[in-house]
Amino acid sequence: MSTTAKTDAEHFDAIVIGAGIAGLYQLYRLRKLGLSVLVFEDAPDVGGTWYWNCYPGARFDSESYSYAYFFSKELFEEWTWSEHFAAQSETLRYMRHVADRFDLRRHIRFNSRVEHCAWNEADKTWSVHAGGGQRVRAKYLITAVGVLSATHMPHLPGIEEFKGQAYHSSRWPQGGVNLKGKRVGVIGTGSTGVQIIQTIADEVDRLVVFQRTPTYCAPLRNAPVTAAEHEAFSSSYDALLERLRGTPGGFIHSPDERRAMEVPENERLAYYEKKWAEPGFGKWLGLYSDSLSDPAANETAAAFVRNKIRQRINDPAVAEKLIPRNQPFGAKRIPLETHYYEVYNRKNVHLVDIRSEPISRIYGRGIRTSAAEYELDVIIFATGFDAITGNLVRIDIRGTEGISLADSFKSGPHSFMGLQVAGFPNLFTISGPLGGFVFCNVPRCLEENIDWITDCIDYMRSHAREVIEPSAEAERLWNETVQEGVRQTLLSGTDSWFNGANIPGKARAIQMYVGGLVEFRRLYQEMVSKGYEGFEFR
Ligand code: NA7
C-alpha cells in the first residue's frame, strides 16, 4: 500500500525522482509489482521535459507514433496524434492523459524538489529530503530526472542589468509570452533555437540571432495525420514495435547496410535526395552504415547538406555564416526544421556570428558585441542543457562513503552500463551516464531501461537480496567498451552535449554508449543471463 501522507517516519519501497516520461512508467511498473512507491516532482504537473519546454515551436523530432508509450497496447491504440511530429502542448496532453488513465497522480508529490539523498548502510535504505521539509526513506532510489532537463544558462557579464524580459527556453512561462511587435534576441541555434527562431520570426518586429556554431539542419516535413494514417498506425502496434526494436536508435529509421563509397556517386546522390525528401531523421540515421564513422563517407553527406543550405539563402554572405565548416554531418544531433533557413531572407531578421563578433556584455537595453549594440525587449536563451549528468549532480546524492555523486563524477561520469554507479547501492539511474539507453528515441530506451530495473528489483525480492551495486572493476571494463565504441565514430571530435563540451568546466568525456540499442540489449541480456555479472549483491 502506498501512502502520500506527510510524516517524519514515512517509509516506501521505492522513491522515484521525476514525473516525466520515465517517472510515470517506472511508477506504473513498480506499483504493478506490489511496491509502495512515491514520486517527487519539482513541477506542479506531470510531463518533465514536456512540461517545462513550452517555448514557441517546441515539438517532436521523432515520429509521434514511435515516441508514444508502448507498454499498453490499449493506450497506444486509443490515442490519436494530430500531427506526424506533435507539438509540445499535444505531448503534454498525452502525458496528463496517461497519468489519469492509470491513476498515477495519487502517488506523486508535485512542487517537491528533491534536495538531498543519503545511503544509510545500517538499515540499507536511502533517506530522501525534498522541498517543504519532506523526509522519507526507501529501499530503492530511482532517478528519472531527464537527459535534457538541467538548464544551461551561460555566464554573460551584465546579465542582471537587462531591463527587458529574459527567459531560458526550458523555463518558458507556462502562460506564454507576447512577442508580437517586440525586438527579440535569441542566443543559441541548436534544435531549440531553430524551433523558436522559425516560429517567431514573422510575429516579432525584429529578430537578432546570436549564433556561435552553425549547425547542419534538415527539413522535418511535418504534416497532419489523416484518418487513414491513424487507422494504419493504430492497427500496426506489433509490427511497429518490432521495427523500432530492430533499429540502432529505436527510431523508425535505420541505415543502409552498404558503405557510402561502395555506392556509385550518382546512386548515392539519388539516395540522399530521396532521404532528404522524406519526413524525419532518415536523412541522418538512414544514410549509409559508415556515415558516422568514416570521414570520407561522412563528407559526401556533409557536402550534400551544405549545398542544400546554400540554395535556400538569398544573401551569399549570410549563407556562409550558416554553413557548418570542418564539422562532420550528424556528429551532433541534427535540428529538424520547417522554413528555418528562409527566415534569414526576411528583412526583420539579423544574424550575428558571435565567433567573429563576440558578445561583450548584456546591458540595460540589450546585447553589446565587439561591433554593435542590439537594443532588445526580450532575450531568449536557447543555450541547451547540462545533459545526462546535469540533474543528477544538482541533487546532493551521497553514497556509501558519504561521497557525493557530483564529486564522484568530477573527472567524468562513471557507471556500469548506465544502470548503476559504484558506491551508490540500490540507486538506479534511468538513462544514466555511459549507458546504452541515451542515444536513441527517448521513450523506447526509457521503457527498456525501466523494464530492466523492475525485473532486477523483482529478482532481488524473489532471491532475498537486499542490496545491489556494481563493482568498480565492472565499471572500468564497461568504460573501456564505451570508449572503444566511441573511437569508431566521429562523435567525440565534435563539441556537443553528447560529450559535455557545451558546459564550461565539465569534464569533456563521451556521456553514452554509442554502439546502438540492438547491441546494448544483447550485452545487458547476456549480463543478466550470467547472474547479473558485474553486480554485487548483499
Ligand atoms: P543544444 O543543442 O546544446 O544547443 C545550444 C545552443 O546554444 C548551441 O547553438 C550553442 O552553441 C549555444 N550556446 C550555448 N552556450 C552558449 C554561450 N555561452 N554563448 C552563445 N551560445 C551558446 O541545446 P538545444 O536545447 O538546442 O537542444 C538540445 C537537445 O534537445 C537536442 O539535441 C534535441 O535532442 C532536443 P554551440 O553549438 O555550443 O557553439
Side-chain angles (χ1 to χ4, degrees), residues 40 80 93 95 118 121-122 149 164 176 199 271 372 399 425 475 479 531 536:
F40 283 119
T80 308
R93 196 155 30 86
M95 299 207 52
E121 185 59 35
S149 46
T199 305
Y271 183 66
E475 282 198 339
N479 189 40
E536 289 164 358

Side-chain angles (χ1 to χ4, degrees), residues 152 154 187-192 212-213 332-333 354 382-385 497:
H152 166 52
I187 303 179
T189 53
S191 302
T192 302
R212 188 165 67 179
T213 314
K332 58 184 182 186
R333 197 157 164 146
I354 62 169
T383 42
F385 302 92
W497 61 261

Side-chain angles (χ1 to χ4, degrees), residues 98-371:
V98 171
D100 294 335
R101 189 192 189 285
F102 297 99
D103 188 22
L104 299 175
R105 287 182 190 271
R106 65 196 166 93
H107 304 283
I108 306 171
R109 284 194 195 150
F110 296 104
N111 301 305
S112 298
R113 184 171 182 79
V114 173
E115 292 154 356
H116 173 75
C117 309
W119 173 252
N120 315 293
E121 185 59 35
D123 62 358
K124 305 202 173 21
T125 58
W126 281 95
S127 25
V128 176
H129 297 190
Q134 300 179 76
R135 304 272 186 276
V136 297
R137 283 190 172 226
K139 186 170 270 307
Y140 310 107
L141 177 63
I142 303 168
T143 57
V145 293
V147 165
L148 292 157
S149 46
T151 296
H152 166 52
M153 192 70 182
H155 297 291
L156 292 171
I159 212 160
E160 63 295 336
E161 290 169 21
F162 183 57
K163 298 277 189 295
Q165 298 161 274
Y167 307 101
H168 191 280
S169 52
S170 74
R171 287 296 178 275
W172 197 255
Q174 291 294 316
V177 179
N178 182 8
L179 298 174
K180 206 168 169 24
K182 302 256 171 74
R183 298 164 302 172
V184 179
V186 177
I187 303 179
T189 53
S191 302
T192 302
V194 165
Q195 289 187 333
I196 293 173
I197 291 161
Q198 69 193 13
T199 305
I200 67 171
D202 65 354
E203 173 189 350
V204 300
D205 173 56
R206 178 170 160 76
L207 175 61
V208 186
V209 177
F210 296 87
Q211 172 191 269
R212 188 165 67 179
T213 314
T215 317
Y216 294 101
C217 305
L220 174 66
R221 305 203 192 285
N222 193 18
V225 175
T226 64
E229 283 170 336
H230 170 68
E231 193 54 38
F233 286 132
S234 57
S235 59
S236 67
Y237 170 91
D238 294 307
L240 185 54
L241 183 56
E242 193 183 331
R243 180 170 168 191
L244 295 168
R245 285 178 65 86
T247 66
F251 291 94
I252 62 169
H253 310 284
S254 51
D256 183 306
E257 288 307 314
R258 292 170 297 171
R259 299 175 71 82
M261 306 314 263
E262 278 171 16
V263 181
E265 190 180 0
N266 281 353
E267 192 187 326
R268 197 168 60 223
L269 285 173
Y271 183 66
Y272 290 161
E273 286 289 358
K274 176 172 171 293
K275 288 286 149 191
W276 198 254
E278 292 171 1
F281 272 142
K283 46 199 76 91
W284 175 34
L285 304 172
L287 302 186
Y288 295 104
S289 59
D290 56 351
S291 297
L292 285 178
S293 55
D294 174 18
N298 185 280
E299 177 52 25
T300 64
F304 173 85
V305 178
R306 286 197 295 266
N307 200 31
K308 287 287 183 197
I309 297 173
R310 192 173 284 114
Q311 287 168 6
R312 292 170 59 185
I313 302 156
N314 296 343
D315 181 342
V318 174
E320 289 316 302
K321 286 187 195 172
L322 286 164
I323 293 171
R325 310 255 167 239
N326 307 320
Q327 200 191 113
F329 173 70
K332 58 184 182 186
R333 197 157 164 146
I334 301 294
L336 293 182
E337 50 80 29
T338 305
H339 308 309
Y340 172 66
Y341 288 111
E342 285 73 16
V343 160
Y344 296 97
N345 297 332
R346 299 176 61 99
K347 287 208 162 40
N348 68 332
V349 177
H350 180 69
L351 177 66
V352 179
D353 166 12
I354 62 169
R355 289 209 194 264
S356 59
E357 186 189 329
I359 295 176
S360 41
R361 67 179 293 110
I362 295 184
Y363 69 112
R365 292 197 310 277
I367 295 180
R368 188 175 296 143
T369 67
S370 59

